[in-house]
Amino acid sequence: MSKKRQKNRDEDNGFGEWGGYMEAKKAKLSEQFDVISSNIEKKSLIFEGISILVNGYTQPSADELKFLMAEHGGRFHLYPNQKGVTTHIIATNLPNIKINQGNIPVVNPKWITDSIDAKKLVDFKKYLLYSNESKTQPKLNLNKNTKTANDPEFLAEFYNNSRLHLISTLGAEFKQFVNELREKSIGNFPGLNKLMNSTKLPRNYENCVIMHIDMDCFFVSVGLRSRPELKGRPVAVTHSKTGQINRKNDIKKELEMWGEKNSKLINIDNKSSMSEIASCSYEARKSGVRNGMLMGAALKLCPDLTPIPYDFDEYKKVSKILYETISEYTVDIEAVSCDEMYVDVTGILKKTGVCVDEFAKHIRGEISLRTGCPCSAGFGENRLQARMATKKAKPNGQHHLKDGVLSYFESVKLEDLPGVGWSTLKKLKNLRLETCGDVQGINLNTLQSELGEKLSKLIQDYSRGIDPKPLQYEHERKSVSADVNYGIRFKNHEESLKFLESLSKEVFFRLSEIKMKSKCVTLKLLIRAKDAPIETAKYLGCGVCDALSRSTTTNFYLDSSETIFKEAKSLYQKLGVIPEDLRGVGIQLSRLEKVNKVVNNAMRNFLTKKLEDNEIKIKRKDVNVEKPEKKKVLTNYFKVEKLDFNREVKKKGLSVDMDVLKALPEEIQKEIIDEYDLKPLKVNTELNKPKLIDTNKAKKTKSFSDLSLESLRVLLKNWINTEPKEIDVEMLGGYLKSLAIKRDLNTLYPIIRFIYRIINEKSCVWHEIYAKLIDFTQKGMKESFGKLLHVEKKFYCGILHF
């Protein structure tokens, strides 16, 4: 193309005056940094005149470095020479192809943090990673051979490139992000306030309205932000670069062994890539390409399909913007994944007076403007309706499912319902059921013959658009695991055990990160199936395998990678597998519990004094604190206090004056007891008798809402061991009703489930009390939501009490 033609083309594209699209983008990013910089309080001018460009993964992250530069007078570039000259490239390592950046030095990010710590700009030459200024800088030695699990660096490389690991990690991160948003929220929502100021008077919504937000072709949309030339074309995000490979081994036998078990292998031959497609554009879908399809098969359907690589840093940035945008209106959010969520928008609609369609248009516009990516939104009375409405809204649209719900679900395929997997679908097909309409017309007993009681009722409800499950705002991890199903190739037991030890370290690190503890270990193995080829169709993949798993529960907490490895090793040896046949290894820790808070050092020093005989004593005269008023709790049973501490508790030479302990604030008491594992000795039972509250001090009695969930559970456990009284039921029932009215399902639902568990095996008297408590709860649900909460009703005694 001639220079003249190119110039005319640039002038015609709408960005000519900025020198083309990329120059416009650089200018926009620079303006965004200026806004950030102007709104941040300056801590210093250490980096005045410094402009950094972050390349690749760093610690601190690119986002953190951006704010550090803004706080200390520097500039942050996403592209070279973005409104000024880039002075330094910040990287942890770079391949040779990226090193040639003119005379710009490549510096370790520690230069930034060390300069801030030193409160001055330190010499960057000490932190050089690569630079064209010196030929003596160390070069990154890239291993051209794919690593296997024998390599010490394999695990880190595997998890850095595993799409499934990174996708699940992002999902978990944003569930935790919502937890933090809710904890920090003070009820101020700038987006909602702005919308209220520009809309009509509040209106009355009788029914609950749930919104389901789903970003369209998320990975593709994010990838196209920096590849505008690919918009409107068939695109797929995958590890494969071409979709074609020169496979040496014949995969015919493996394909025959898979048979119908793996439909993905259709249209795969010796030259077809087996890299999975994580996301594909709608243009690709028109040709039959689908998410999860293998790249080799997809190319046969769509020869023009263009592969683009993953960019997890960008996915994370865009996801955070998405969640932060919604949190400007409400924190009643249930995170599903990095690009999908449910939101209770009932309060937003009531306060602003806007209708569903108006709000949908507004919020989708905000998301599109801030992220540069399209999204679709569905609305309904529950999560299921909202999700199905989103399917109708896609791509880049909105839909409110409010009228004719039953008839709408008639045509919905059963495979589109949540929780209907391959095995369930097969059972439904045995009954010749394919759509929700088919289920609507069938007797529940017929359904139960194939699916059982619980699943049959759920499928029947779903087929009618009924979903009793409330949104779960807070996420609590049930398990943590580390699995590897690629590159597992061992020659002997020594190699396999060494890898198992590395995997134990990885899973313990993940357990520590979420501040949980566990006593249950499960070892999961994939073993090459009998007669399966040694060389798999997918290079270093797992191929056709048999799955084995074994679990053990210890009587102690797994507090180190060594203890995890010891238990995993024992399970591994009991299974007696041939290491050469291993194709996948996983360790899972389950039945998680929160780690107790440790008493801080200052408090420990204040409370303890070491003597020559290693005895620690706490004397009242050593502590000068004002004795706080004793904690009061609720109602007849609940309006008592118990003397929780004995005069003296001894453990391993530890002597604690309990008068001093009782004088401390309750939170500190609990920390000390947890820290030193104190247990009371037997004393005069008169000391432990309940002490009734002075009615003159009734106003100082704390309510249920003042108690933590953990404290309330202890209280309820003790309560069911007493004689039940009507006043206790009324007070507890009133509290549950208030939670429902306040729409605090995140607190209500766990309490209801806990009460059911502890009452289930008690006598029918307590079952009747449970029914009364549920009656209180449902009255609150009707008042606030117009519908009932799904609760357990079946007791071990077999009697239906309500």
Side-chain angles (χ1 to χ4, degrees):
M1 183 183 293
S2 68
K3 291 183 179 180
K4 185 175 181 180
R5 282 184 66 190
Q6 179 63 49
K7 180 180 180 182
N8 290 337
R9 182 175 175 179
D10 284 344
E11 289 174 349
D12 291 341
N13 67 9
F15 294 96
E17 62 181 329
W18 287 335
Y21 172 82
M22 289 309 296
E23 291 304 314
K25 184 169 184 176
K26 291 176 185 179
K28 182 179 179 180
L29 291 170
S30 182
E31 291 171 3
Q32 289 176 353
F33 180 81
D34 289 339
V35 172
I36 293 172
S37 185
S38 63
N39 291 326
I40 288 181
E41 182 180 352
K42 292 291 184 292
K43 294 183 178 179
S44 75
L45 296 176
I46 291 173
F47 300 112
E48 189 172 22
I50 303 294
S51 299
I52 67 168
L53 169 71
V54 177
N55 198 325
Y57 172 82
T58 58
Q59 187 59 251
S61 67
D63 276 344
E64 291 172 307
L65 290 172
K66 179 195 296 184
F67 283 95
L68 289 176
M69 295 303 287
E71 285 179 336
H72 297 278
R75 295 197 65 81
F76 180 90
H77 292 171
L78 280 173
Y79 296 95
N81 302 321
Q82 176 188 306
K83 193 179 178 182
V85 177
T86 300
T87 59
H88 299 77
I89 294 173
I90 306 298
T92 301
N93 58 51
L94 287 176
N96 292 335
I97 194 171
K98 288 188 175 183
I99 294 174
N100 186 15
Q101 300 284 352
N103 291 321
I104 305 175
V106 182
V107 184
N108 189 287
K110 204 169 184 300
W111 173 58
I112 302 290
T113 54
D114 282 2
S115 293
I116 293 172
D117 290 341
K119 297 182 179 180
K120 66 178 183 179
L121 191 66
V122 298
D123 187 359
F124 71 85
K125 292 179 182 178
K126 297 178 181 179
Y127 301 84
L128 283 170
L129 191 65
Y130 313 106
S131 173
N132 289 334
E133 296 174 346
S134 171
K135 295 182 180 180
T136 63
Q137 295 297 318
K139 300 278 182 161
L140 183 63
N141 182 21
L142 296 177
N143 186 347
K144 295 182 180 180
N145 298 319
T146 305
K147 293 182 175 68
T148 66
N150 295 323
D151 194 299
E153 298 178 3
F154 168 81
L155 209 55
E157 185 174 293
F158 173 79
Y159 284 119
N160 282 336
N161 291 282
S162 169
R163 70 180 182 90
L164 294 178
H165 165 67
L166 292 170
I167 290 170
S168 64
T169 299
L170 282 178
E173 281 183 14
F174 282 100
K175 287 173 182 176
Q176 179 59 32
F177 184 58
V178 169
N179 289 353
E180 293 170 1
L181 286 174
R182 290 179 62 81
E183 289 174 3
K184 295 176 182 177
S185 175
I186 57 174
N188 182 31
F189 303 106
L192 177 61
N193 295 337
K194 186 177 179 181
L195 192 59
M196 288 172 64
N197 293 333
S198 62
T199 54
K200 311 166 188 175
L201 293 174
R203 64 173 68 188
N204 183 30
Y205 273 87
E206 296 182 357
N207 296 325
C208 176
V209 181
I210 302 297
M211 174 177 69
H212 177 243
I213 285 281
D214 194 8
M215 302 297 284
D216 295 333
C217 310
F218 182 57
F219 288 2
V220 170
S221 297
V222 174
L224 293 184
R225 297 196 313 167
S226 59
R227 299 173 180 85
E229 71 279 3
L230 294 180
K231 288 184 177 180
R233 294 174 55 182
V235 176
V237 176
T238 176
H239 281 308
S240 174
K241 295 180 180 179
T242 63
Q244 298 293 326
I245 61 173
N246 293 318
R247 188 179 285 108
K248 295 180 180 180
N249 57 311
D250 189 353
I251 64 172
K252 184 178 179 180
K253 184 175 181 179
E254 183 175 322
L255 297 181
E256 290 175 352
M257 291 186 70
W258 277 114
E260 295 181 357
K261 291 182 181 179
N262 195 338
S263 58
K264 292 180 181 179
L265 298 176
I266 297 174
N267 294 329
I268 292 294
D269 55 37
N270 279 345
K271 293 185 178 180
S272 301
S273 168
M274 296 186 71
S275 179
E276 284 193 7
I277 291 173
S279 179
C280 58
S281 65
Y282 283 99
E283 291 77 14
R285 296 182 188 191
K286 290 177 183 178
S287 300
V289 179
R290 293 290 181 267
N291 294 350
M293 185 177 285
L294 302 184
M295 189 62 181
L299 279 172
K300 293 178 180 179
L301 296 173
C302 183
D304 296 332
L305 186 64
T306 302
I308 61 174
Y310 293 91
D311 192 342
F312 284 96
D313 286 340
E314 286 300 301
Y315 303 151
K316 188 172 182 178
K317 289 177 186 176
V318 175
S319 295
K320 191 172 183 181
I321 294 171
L322 168 66
Y323 277 89
E324 287 177 339
T325 300
I326 299 299
S327 70
E328 291 185 7
Y329 296 83
T330 180
V331 288
D332 291 340
I333 303 168
E334 178 182 330
V336 178
S337 64
C338 59
D339 65 328
E340 182 183 4
M341 69 177 78
Y342 292 100
V343 188
D344 188 338
V345 297
T346 313
I348 297 174
L349 301 176
K350 285 181 177 179
K351 291 177 182 178
T352 62
V354 300
C355 67
V356 169
D357 289 338
E358 289 170 335
F359 178 70
K361 185 177 181 180
H362 170 81
I363 199 67
R364 288 178 53 244
E366 285 287 297
I367 292 169
S368 177
L369 180 66
R370 299 186 190 190
T371 66
C373 300
C375 75
S376 296
F379 297 80
E381 286 190 17
N382 55 51
R383 60 167 65 223
L384 175 65
Q385 292 181 19
R387 181 176 178 178
M388 292 303 153
T390 306
K391 287 182 177 293
K392 189 174 179 64
K394 283 184 172 290
N396 196 19
Q398 60 195 56
H399 181 70
H400 183 195
L401 183 57
K402 55 181 178 179
D403 298 320
V405 173
L406 198 62
S407 58
Y408 175 83
F409 271 81
E410 285 181 355
S411 59
V412 173
K413 294 181 178 180
L414 292 172
E415 61 195 67
D416 290 335
L417 294 178
V420 178
W422 181 83
S423 60
T424 302
L425 194 62
K426 188 175 181 180
K427 293 177 182 178
L428 289 167
K429 287 184 177 180
N430 289 340
L431 295 173
R432 298 182 180 179
L433 304 175
E434 295 186 356
T435 67
C436 288
D438 296 336
V439 175
Q440 289 175 11
I442 196 171
N443 186 278
L444 182 60
N445 291 334
T446 305
L447 206 58
Q448 289 176 346
S449 65
E450 281 285 344
L451 303 179
E453 183 180 345
K454 189 173 181 180
L455 183 56
S456 296
K457 183 63 170 65
L458 185 65
I459 297 295
Q460 190 181 66
D461 283 346
Y462 279 174
S463 69
R464 290 172 165 79
I466 300 170
D467 186 356
K469 187 179 179 182
L471 298 191
Q472 298 293 307
Y473 300 134
E474 292 189 10
H475 173 70
E476 187 171 307
R477 292 287 291 274
K478 303 296 182 184
S479 65
V480 61
S481 61
D483 300 89
V484 179
N485 57 6
Y486 178 84
I488 301 295
R489 297 294 187 273
F490 301 122
K491 298 175 184 176
N492 51 53
H493 278 291
E494 184 181 354
E495 289 181 353
S496 60
L497 288 175
K498 193 171 183 179
F499 177 76
L500 196 63
E501 185 175 14
S502 298
L503 200 61
S504 299
K505 293 178 181 178
E506 175 67 26
V507 77
F508 177 69
F509 171 77
R510 297 183 187 186
L511 184 72
S512 304
E513 283 283 283
I514 59 174
K515 295 179 174 60
M516 303 291 274
K517 56 185 179 181
S518 170
K519 292 182 178 180
C520 185
V521 185
T522 300
L523 179 67
K524 299 177 287 184
L525 302 177
L526 291 177
I527 312 297
R528 181 173 67 90
K530 185 180 179 182
D531 299 328
I534 295 177
E535 293 296 329
T536 53
K538 183 173 183 177
Y539 180 61
L540 292 182
C542 56
V544 186
C545 290
D546 297 321
L548 295 178
S549 67
R550 290 290 184 276
S551 299
T552 184
T553 300
T554 63
N555 57 6
F556 53 86
Y557 290 112
L558 303 162
D559 56 359
S560 67
S561 61
E562 289 79 13
T563 55
I564 295 173
F565 173 58
K566 181 181 177 181
E567 298 302 321
K569 179 182 177 181
S570 175
L571 293 171
Y572 175 73
Q573 291 173 334
K574 287 177 183 178
L575 287 169
V577 300
I578 301 172
E580 291 86 347
D581 287 341
L582 270 175
R583 292 294 181 266
V585 183
I587 298 176
Q588 182 185 65
L589 305 177
S590 54
R591 300 180 188 177
L592 303 185
E593 300 176 30
K594 290 183 179 179
V595 174
N596 289 331
K597 187 185 291 185
V598 177
V599 178
N600 60 60
N601 289 333
M603 182 56 64
R604 183 183 289 110
N605 293 336
F606 170 69
L607 292 170
T608 62
K609 182 181 178 182
K610 292 185 178 180
L611 302 178
E612 291 182 0
D613 59 355
N614 293 324
E615 187 178 36
I616 305 172
K617 293 185 177 180
I618 306 175
K619 300 293 185 179
R620 175 179 288 279
K621 64 183 181 181
D622 296 328
V623 185
N624 183 21
V625 294
E626 183 179 348
K627 187 173 182 178
E629 186 173 347
K630 293 178 180 178
K631 182 176 180 180
K632 305 294 190 300
V633 283
L634 299 170
T635 73
N636 271 10
Y637 166 75
F638 301 123
K639 280 185 178 178
V640 301
E641 60 180 5
K642 293 192 176 183
L643 302 179
D644 297 320
F645 310 114
N646 299 317
R647 287 290 172 184
E648 190 173 305
V649 180
K650 294 182 178 179
K651 181 192 175 188
K652 296 180 181 178
L654 176 68
S655 178
V656 179
D657 188 321
M658 303 313 292
D659 283 340
V660 176
L661 188 59
K662 287 170 61 180
L664 297 172
E666 188 173 71
E667 293 78 12
I668 297 177
Q669 290 179 13
K670 186 177 184 304
E671 288 185 353
I672 296 169
I673 292 168
D674 290 341
E675 170 74 2
Y676 293 104
D677 194 19
L678 300 182
K679 295 182 180 179
L681 301 172
K682 291 182 180 179
V683 294
N684 189 335
T685 55
E686 292 296 319
L687 292 175
N688 286 330
K689 282 188 176 179
K691 183 180 176 183
L692 294 179
I693 280 185
D694 184 347
T695 54
N696 294 326
K697 297 181 180 179
K699 291 183 179 179
K700 295 182 180 179
T701 299
K702 288 200 173 187
S703 66
F704 283 109
S705 58
D706 294 322
L707 301 176
S708 68
L709 188 58
E710 182 181 355
S711 299
L712 184 56
R713 283 173 175 167
V714 173
L715 197 62
L716 293 173
K717 272 186 177 180
N718 292 332
W719 175 53
I720 66 165
N721 291 318
T722 66
E723 180 183 348
K725 296 182 179 180
E726 192 64 31
I727 189 171
D728 294 331
V729 179
E730 290 178 0
M731 290 298 292
L732 182 56
Y735 172 62
L736 298 176
K737 180 180 177 180
S738 70
L739 290 176
I741 291 173
K742 290 189 294 185
R743 307 172 78 88
D744 188 2
L745 300 184
N746 193 50
T747 302
L748 175 63
Y749 200 63
I751 293 175
I752 292 290
R753 289 169 58 191
F754 179 76
I755 293 174
Y756 171 78
R757 286 200 304 272
I758 62 175
I759 282 181
N760 185 26
E761 296 185 4
K762 301 290 287 184
S763 69
C764 286
V765 173
W766 283 100
H767 298 169
E768 293 287 353
I769 288 174
Y770 175 78
K772 291 178 181 179
L773 293 175
I774 295 303
D775 185 53
F776 276 101
T777 303
Q778 302 297 26
K779 286 178 181 177
M781 291 294 295
K782 283 183 179 179
E783 183 176 333
S784 185
F785 292 94
K787 60 183 66 178
L788 302 180
L789 182 69
H790 177 70
V791 297
E792 294 285 354
K793 298 181 180 180
K794 187 176 181 180
F795 295 99
Y796 85 99
C797 62
I799 300 174
L800 186 64
H801 293 274
F802 61 97

